[in-house]
Amino acid sequence: MMDIKELKVTVGEVCEGYFNDAEEGVVGYDDRLDIRHKYQREFVYKDNQRDEVIRTVLKGLPLNVIYWCKVKKDDGSDGYEVLDGQQRTISLCEYVDGSLSVDDKYFYNLPKDQKDKILNYPCSSMSVTGRTVRSWTGSGLSISQARS
């Protein structure tokens, strides 16, 4: 049985505790979200695609839904794994983290109102229970196929 529920989280919340390591993976949301596991492919967005994610948020336009799988972490606590939306999530976190600029502007150089606009932007996220990223990626199903 699969259950899909809307999550109410902001970009700022997702970026809390952001850590990106090529060998160990990528985490965020205060270590509750595994954005990219060691076994997942590396970041593949081109610079212009990545920049468009940031521009979309600055314009207040909606991004596509990001799907998270609810999981039990190794320590027994509740957590999530990104099922779909890895590149969008990493783009946002890398920008807030100061690792990249968009239109020659780094996050830390933005006026407070623009920083707040990004940090308070609601991520359109859905939590999926009943499957893990490993079972999704191995199934060959798209999200729309798996939901039906």
Side-chain angles (χ1 to χ4, degrees), residues 2 15 17 20 25 35 37-38 51 74 77 82 92-93 96 108 117-118 123 129 142:
M2 182 171 49
C15 293
N20 185 342
I35 299 169
H37 280 278
K38 291 188 263 188
D51 293 354
D74 291 339
S77 64
V82 172
L92 291 165
C93 291
V96 170
Y108 54 80
K117 187 173 191 173
I118 292 170
C123 288
T129 56
S142 69

Side-chain angles (χ1 to χ4, degrees), residues 95-101 105-111 115:
Y95 186 66
V96 170
D97 191 52
S99 301
L100 58 95
S101 68
K105 296 176 189 161
Y106 284 89
F107 178 80
Y108 54 80
N109 288 333
L110 295 175
K115 286 181 187 176

